[in-house]
Amino acid sequence: MKNKYSIFSLIKNAFSGHENWQRAWRDPEPKKEYDAIIIGGGGHGLATAYYLAKKHKMTNIALVEKGWIGGGNTGRNTTIIRSNYLWDASAGLYDHALKIWEGLSQELNYNVMFSQRGVMNLAHNLQDVRDLKRRTHANRLNGIDAVWLNTEEVKKFCPIINTSPSIRYPVLGGTLQRRAGTARHDAVAWGYARGADEMGVDIIQNCEVKGIKRNGDTVEGIETTKGFIKTKKIGVVAAGHSSVIANMAGIRLPLESKPLQALVSEPVKPIIDTVVMSNAVHAYVSQSDKGELVIGAGTDSYVSYTQKGSHNIVEETLRAILELYPIFSRMKMLRQWGGIVDICPDASPIISKTQVKGLYINCGWGTGGFKATPGSGDLFAHTIANDEPHKLNAAFNLNRFVSGDLVDEHGAAAVAH
Amino acid sequence: MFIINCPYCGERDQTEFSCGGEAHIERPKQPTELSDDQWAEYLFMRKNIKGIQFERWNHIHGCRKWFNVVRDTSNDKIHAVYKMGERPPIK
């Protein structure tokens, strides 16, 4: 049983120089067999393991991770959370996640620093205005909070934005989702890991999957750098490397993996207390609790697994940031990095069974997976445990690429995809 | 970010080019005969290889010609460039 984190445990441990904190999760060796194995120790994978154990009482399960937990895209995103998607299926999926976010710190007894500071999406041309207004109405019909702001209201909500009509892409208005915001990405991975570990889930780090063993159309287990592990159910949550894992099981996915970049500035005093996104000029910015500006750039246009990204992409984003926020013109950028995102042709995720029995896949989150972490884990756990999708992820099946029933969020979400 | 050796113009920066994705995906010869599964395979399914990948590029800000590139997607090193219709110089 894990000790509860509280103000009292904090004071108690302060007196002993913080040297006696209980270990947050074990470092077990893999058993010979599990009821289910999750491949990938990012937020989505850890959340899946957590909900499998918590809601579906599957505690004889393992999660294998080739590096360390939260070391992939979970630790590389810009931590933005929102649910203002256009289509009903997406709205249902992302708002399910947002509702879990709202109580997540309490549920996990782990402060994920969820901050509902609002997300504002800017419109820079007439088509943006039409699309964003349409999305606002669609959101409200789905019970998701959304309001349209005119240029003056945008300026009032975030005074540092340059709303001059003379800039190259003037701000014509924007939408605001007040329940949206940010969270601390590492804490999400650590909180779910701690919770899953407490219920008996084996989290096995530095364990790379080398092969998936099949007997006909059924899975039998995985070959790893720590030996063969037998199982009847495998959940693949490998983000940018989903195609690599799927290839081991002999199936193909409709994915392309590309580097997506982000960067942070030197830390400064509080200057922007919300998240502002702009799709037309591709710039989005928020400020971390440490004071760094967190800036998201775009993807490279070609497949690559390098986790770097091209310089011209950063240049384009900073150009747009500078025009929208002239106050940042003397900021120094501190760090830049890339993560490999797996993008579906319709820019919507796949949370689905596959043609191989016992093989489940959760992928295709593209450039926007972090916000969905709790919902994705919950729904994927449901799909694995029941061998059937939940009604909220039924539309996000792999078969939609055969049936043609796509969830086309590419232009519809009005954000960076 | 890397340099691509356009077979028509020579070495140029990657930003002059546009990537057309996986190469050698053959257009169905009998489109009316295809099943939904075969259409999905042709339209959407990709190898998305980590390693040596064959892909199409267009010199969009140069000669505007299409050609093929063999690139290692794990480190972005280009192993070969060859024209459309030519056989890949390496396996």
Side-chain angles (χ1 to χ4, degrees):
Chain A
M1 191 64 198
K2 293 226 171 12
N3 294 336
K4 201 170 153 56
Y5 291 153
S6 67
I7 182 74
F8 304 107
S9 72
L10 195 62
I11 294 167
K12 189 179 140 210
N13 281 284
F15 280 111
S16 57
H18 294 294
E19 287 183 353
N20 297 318
W21 283 101
Q22 188 189 25
R23 218 184 151 146
W25 53 85
R26 296 162 297 129
D27 189 17
E29 283 302 309
K31 289 189 242 168
K32 289 209 162 28
E33 186 176 353
Y34 289 98
D35 294 340
I37 294 175
I38 306 299
I39 301 174
H44 290 238
L46 289 159
T48 305
Y50 175 85
Y51 291 113
L52 271 176
K54 188 177 179 192
K55 285 188 158 180
H56 307 283
K57 307 297 170 206
M58 290 177 70
T59 51
N60 181 32
I61 61 174
L63 178 147
V64 294
E65 162 58 45
K66 73 172 172 181
W68 61 92
I69 57 167
N73 293 349
T74 300
R76 290 163 191 268
N77 59 71
T78 49
T79 77
I80 297 166
I81 295 161
R82 56 182 186 85
S83 64
N84 53 357
Y85 279 68
L86 177 68
W87 302 117
D88 294 352
S90 316
L93 176 68
Y94 290 102
D95 209 52
H96 177 61
L98 183 49
K99 282 178 189 137
I100 304 178
W101 277 114
E102 287 173 330
L104 193 62
S105 291
Q106 304 303 325
E107 182 184 339
L108 294 177
N109 179 228
Y110 204 105
N111 188 2
V112 298
M113 297 164 75
F114 179 54
S115 158
Q116 291 177 297
R117 59 185 67 182
V119 169
M120 185 162 67
N121 294 105
L122 299 181
H124 296 277
N125 54 53
L126 193 55
Q127 192 59 45
D128 274 1
V129 172
R130 288 176 182 146
D131 287 346
L132 289 183
K133 281 187 174 170
R134 178 192 177 201
R135 183 157 61 87
T136 308
H137 294 309
N139 289 159
R140 291 168 76 158
L141 287 171
N142 277 317
I144 293 168
D145 70 305
V147 285
W148 169 258
L149 306 179
N150 62 28
T151 309
E152 290 73 43
E153 289 164 329
V154 166
K155 182 80 179 167
K156 199 167 166 227
F157 186 70
C158 184
I160 60 171
I161 294 179
N162 180 6
T163 51
S164 155
S166 65
I167 64 174
R168 179 72 178 84
Y169 297 102
V171 177
L172 301 182
T175 65
L176 175 63
Q177 184 182 19
R178 292 186 192 275
R179 284 165 64 229
T182 60
R184 168 107 165 88
H185 49 192
D186 301 314
V188 178
W190 298 335
Y192 274 122
R194 181 170 172 267
D197 180 87
E198 185 174 9
M199 291 181 285
V201 177
D202 281 355
I203 296 167
I204 305 159
Q205 302 183 73
N206 298 308
C207 180
E208 186 175 351
V209 175
K210 292 290 187 186
I212 291 178
K213 198 174 169 202
R214 272 175 66 170
N215 179 9
D217 62 352
T218 312
V219 296
E220 288 201 320
I222 55 170
E223 287 295 347
T224 74
T225 47
K226 295 191 176 186
F228 179 75
I229 312 172
K230 203 176 158 192
T231 188
K232 288 193 179 69
K233 290 186 173 191
I234 300 171
V236 180
V237 204
H241 283 70
S242 296
S243 298
V244 177
I245 303 285
N247 190 36
M248 293 176 189
I251 65 168
R252 293 224 289 172
L253 296 172
L255 297 175
E256 285 197 312
S257 296
K258 296 174 176 179
L260 174 68
Q261 292 179 81
L263 57 161
V264 293
S265 72
E266 59 190 335
V268 290
K269 285 183 179 173
I271 180 75
I272 179 166
D273 62 357
T274 184
V275 183
V276 185
M277 312 182 77
S278 171
N279 194 35
V281 298
H282 207 294
Y284 52 102
V285 63
S286 61
Q287 191 172 17
S288 75
D289 291 356
K290 276 188 283 183
E292 304 153 325
L293 295 181
V294 183
I295 295 169
T299 53
D300 283 323
S301 62
Y302 47 87
V303 169
S304 179
Y305 288 81
T306 53
Q307 292 190 324
K308 283 188 298 200
S310 301
H311 192 258
N312 61 302
I313 303 282
V314 170
E315 201 179 348
E316 278 161 29
T317 289
L318 290 180
R319 207 183 291 148
I321 291 275
L322 282 193
E323 179 152 280
L324 274 178
Y325 311 91
I327 195 173
F328 296 153
S329 66
R330 293 185 186 186
M331 292 284 281
K332 291 186 179 69
M333 291 300 138
L334 204 63
R335 290 180 290 125
Q336 168 275 345
W337 63 91
I340 305 304
V341 297
D342 43 328
I343 302 171
C344 265
D346 60 355
S348 284
I350 299 167
I351 314 171
S352 177
K353 297 162 71 169
T354 66
Q355 57 267 48
V356 181
K357 199 168 178 304
L359 185 74
Y360 305 86
I361 187 117
N362 184 350
C363 65
W365 290 95
T367 60
F370 175 73
K371 66 175 80 71
T373 305
S376 157
D378 182 34
L379 300 173
F380 195 41
H382 181 100
T383 307
I384 295 174
N386 299 306
D387 197 37
E388 275 302 320
H390 187 279
K391 67 178 191 320
L392 287 174
N393 68 307
F396 298 95
N397 60 64
L398 189 52
N399 197 51
R400 72 179 187 264
F401 298 97
V402 177
S403 67
D405 194 10
L406 304 180
V407 188
D408 184 11
E409 282 288 347
H410 241 301
V415 283
H417 258 301
Chain B
M1 187 170 248
F2 40 86
I3 304 279
I4 298 175
N5 190 5
C6 170
Y8 306 97
C9 310
E11 291 191 345
R12 301 291 173 89
D13 193 280
Q14 173 263 311
T15 52
E16 286 192 16
F17 299 84
S18 148
C19 185
E22 192 178 319
H24 307 301
I25 298 175
E26 213 174 308
R27 200 179 161 75
K29 289 201 172 66
Q30 301 281 349
T32 49
E33 309 286 307
L34 247 50
S35 68
D36 288 353
D37 279 322
Q38 288 168 318
W39 270 120
E41 192 69 20
Y42 166 70
L43 284 174
F44 299 122
M45 299 301 163
R46 294 292 175 264
K47 289 181 186 156
N48 197 24
I49 288 169
K50 185 180 187 180
I52 303 289
Q53 163 153 304
F54 296 78
E55 55 197 14
R56 300 173 301 169
W57 285 79
N58 184 355
H59 195 178
I60 193 92
H61 299 299
C63 62
R64 299 184 62 83
K65 287 200 174 86
W66 284 95
F67 57 95
N68 295 308
V69 170
V70 186
R71 186 172 57 92
D72 188 336
T73 59
S74 65
N75 56 21
D76 287 345
K77 279 203 181 112
I78 292 177
H79 292 276
V81 174
Y82 55 103
K83 291 180 183 172
M84 283 294 168
E86 290 180 358
R87 284 183 170 276
I90 46 178
K91 283 263 169 185

